[in-house]
Amino acid sequence: MDSMSHTVITTSTTGRTSGDGMLNLGYTRTIPGLLKIGQMVALLVAFLCVRCARGWPSWAAFQFFEVVSLWFFIAFLLFFLMHLFRLQAKMPCFNWPLTEFFHYSVGVVLVCIASIVAAVKAGGVSALVVSSVFGFIATFLMAVSLWTTYSVSCGPHQTGAVV
């Protein structure tokens, strides 16, 4: 008679992993997540430096800088929360990589222009100089995100052609 033996191995884990449930905490440790955190911090610091500065040499230039930095801070905060709470999967009617690509494209241009104008019009006011520096840091981080988003959403595709 043939006897067959079976071995059963059971494993158990304690605690929750970052992939469980509604909250995706693992996103905060990814390159796109860290870039978004860096962008939000840089834009918030840039906005607060302009907001708290006294004696703006050019009212229109720094109003533009405030609007641009606050708008993209809020936009990137919303994208960050969408990834953190996995909301993009619940709203499949949007092409999220393309939406982020569009926001990064516009953001790089507008924040860079606002930072250049702020740097030129700072007039030696240290808080305004610091705001333009953080604007340039945010521009760099957005350009990196734009490049990585582009390589994901619009990168090279297999054509099937033999070279």
Side-chain angles (χ1 to χ4, degrees):
M1 236 197 223
D2 236 51
S3 69
M4 298 171 74
S5 65
H6 291 80
T7 305
V8 176
I9 301 172
T10 58
T11 58
S12 64
T13 58
T14 58
R16 295 183 65 149
T17 63
S18 61
D20 290 344
M22 189 173 95
L23 195 61
N24 182 12
L25 290 177
Y27 180 73
T28 60
R29 293 184 298 271
T30 64
I31 297 295
L34 291 171
L35 283 170
K36 276 189 187 60
I37 291 169
Q39 292 156 11
M40 290 184 299
V41 168
L43 288 169
L44 184 61
V45 169
F47 172 77
L48 290 175
C49 285
V50 169
R51 192 73 191 152
C52 296
R54 300 282 183 245
W56 290 358
S58 174
W59 185 83
F62 290 102
Q63 282 291 82
F64 174 68
F65 188 88
E66 272 189 324
V67 168
V68 168
S69 61
L70 187 61
W71 167 258
F72 285 102
F73 169 76
I74 292 170
F76 297 142
L77 178 63
L78 290 175
F79 284 132
F80 181 75
L81 293 174
M82 295 268 316
H83 287 286
L84 193 62
F85 290 105
R86 301 176 186 187
L87 297 176
Q88 71 273 22
K90 295 180 174 112
M91 292 189 278
C93 57
F94 292 106
N95 184 342
W96 290 110
L98 191 59
T99 304
E100 285 191 53
F101 176 77
F102 171 74
H103 275 86
Y104 282 125
S105 300
V106 174
V108 164
V109 172
L110 289 180
V111 173
C112 185
I113 289 170
S115 298
I116 291 170
V117 171
V120 170
K121 300 281 187 173
V125 179
S126 60
L128 300 179
V129 173
V130 170
S131 70
S132 68
V133 169
F134 275 95
F136 286 122
I137 292 169
T139 301
F140 173 75
L141 293 174
M142 285 188 284
V144 171
S145 290
L146 178 64
W147 181 73
T148 58
T149 302
Y150 176 78
S151 65
V152 169
S153 63
C154 304
H157 300 286
Q158 296 289 335
T159 60
V162 177
V163 180

